[in-house]
Amino acid sequence: MVDWQSIDTVMLDMDGTLLDLHFDNYFWTQHLPQRYAEIHGQPFADVRSRLEQQIAAEQGQLKWYCLEYWSETLNLDIRALKVEIQHKIQIRPHVEEFLNRLRVAGKQAILVTNAHPQSMSLKFELTDLDQWLDLVISSHEFKHPKEAQEFWHSLAERVPFNAERTLFVDDTLRVLDSARDYGIGHLLAIHQPDSYIERRVKGYPAIQHFSEIMPPVA
């Protein structure tokens, strides 16, 4: 599935790719509406329905990923609420071995995420995931999400790379579409980013776990 001799740089998404997306899905669909309902004395079902509509309206935009935006909009400390269920933050199977193999094989490993820096800091504190990465890039640095071509052009200015010799792994298909349009040469999806929700990807080569594409080591 991956011709490692043709790849110099590996760009990796975080949530749903390196980390189990269950934490994020549970937070936004269960924990946040539950805590909002408790704090404001409103019915949970009504709150969840309203929040789902608010969040869906921003999907694919940078605001959708911005903890500061949602903290201000909802008048809640979103990061603090995430800390309440931080035990749900989990590294996906075989990720650490895969990242170690990349290092041994001499591949550049770059985290390329839409996650807000507040979310990244929490997850790095708990997983030490950043120790395996050569560089960490959040789309908030460029003020455009990965869905936008402006992101990729800004990324190329920040970190020169050969697009044809780059592998990009992401669980979000609209992001993979954007990377394809920019010219990233090797694209890979994740079948089941949330360990609690079955999903099979069509349209892109995809893996269940990184054990399927381990780079060879001497």
Side-chain angles (χ1 to χ4, degrees):
M1 189 176 294
V2 174
D3 177 10
W4 286 107
Q5 292 186 340
S6 301
I7 293 167
D8 299 322
T9 300
V10 180
M11 296 184 179
L12 299 155
D13 175 50
M14 183 171 70
D15 301 316
T17 299
L18 300 181
L19 300 181
D20 193 333
L21 194 62
H22 175 64
F23 168 80
D24 300 277
N25 284 340
Y26 182 85
F27 176 80
W28 293 103
T29 64
Q30 298 294 325
H31 189 67
L32 175 61
Q34 182 65 51
R35 295 291 285 118
Y36 187 99
E38 291 171 357
I39 291 168
H40 294 282
Q42 298 177 13
F44 171 75
D46 293 347
V47 169
R48 183 165 65 175
S49 177
R50 187 169 67 251
L51 287 179
E52 283 178 353
Q53 294 178 34
Q54 281 185 271
I55 293 168
E58 305 295 348
Q59 189 171 15
Q61 306 299 314
L62 194 63
K63 287 190 293 186
W64 195 58
Y65 304 98
C66 183
L67 268 60
E68 291 174 342
Y69 170 77
W70 291 112
S71 291
E72 182 177 345
T73 299
L74 303 176
N75 194 27
L76 292 170
D77 186 337
I78 298 297
R79 191 185 191 280
L81 293 180
K82 287 194 169 193
V83 170
E84 294 177 353
I85 58 165
Q86 64 183 15
H87 62 279
K88 289 184 173 290
I89 297 173
Q90 301 291 332
I91 299 176
R92 298 185 72 247
H94 309 290
V95 162
E96 291 166 299
E97 181 186 356
F98 177 73
L99 294 176
N100 184 54
R101 288 276 200 102
L102 290 180
R103 178 167 293 176
V104 172
K107 309 299 182 183
Q108 184 183 36
I110 303 176
L111 184 73
V112 180
T113 178
N114 278 329
H116 188 270
Q118 290 182 10
S119 181
M120 290 168 59
S121 66
L122 173 61
K123 291 170 179 177
F124 290 161
E125 286 172 14
L126 295 171
T127 66
D128 290 325
L129 194 63
D130 51 326
Q131 70 175 316
W132 300 101
L133 300 160
D134 296 308
L135 190 63
V136 172
I137 297 289
S138 168
S139 61
H140 295 265
E141 177 181 339
F142 304 140
K143 304 189 186 308
H144 292 284
K146 291 184 292 186
E147 288 87 335
Q149 287 299 294
E150 291 90 342
F151 168 84
W152 296 100
H153 289 285
S154 296
L155 179 62
E157 293 178 4
R158 172 82 159 75
V159 189
F161 62 92
N162 183 337
E164 293 182 357
R165 295 185 59 83
T166 295
L167 168 66
F168 175 56
V169 188
D170 202 293
D171 66 295
T172 303
L173 300 190
R174 65 178 181 272
V175 170
L176 288 166
D177 290 343
S178 181
R180 177 201 60 202
D181 294 345
Y182 177 75
I184 301 298
H186 306 267
L187 301 170
L188 199 61
I190 301 293
H191 277 308
Q192 191 175 347
D194 183 329
S195 61
Y196 286 73
I197 300 174
E198 290 284 346
R199 187 186 80 160
R200 299 295 293 179
V201 170
K202 296 181 180 179
Y204 285 99
I207 58 172
Q208 190 78 13
H209 297 301
F210 282 98
S211 55
E212 300 170 43
I213 58 163
M214 289 289 178
V217 292

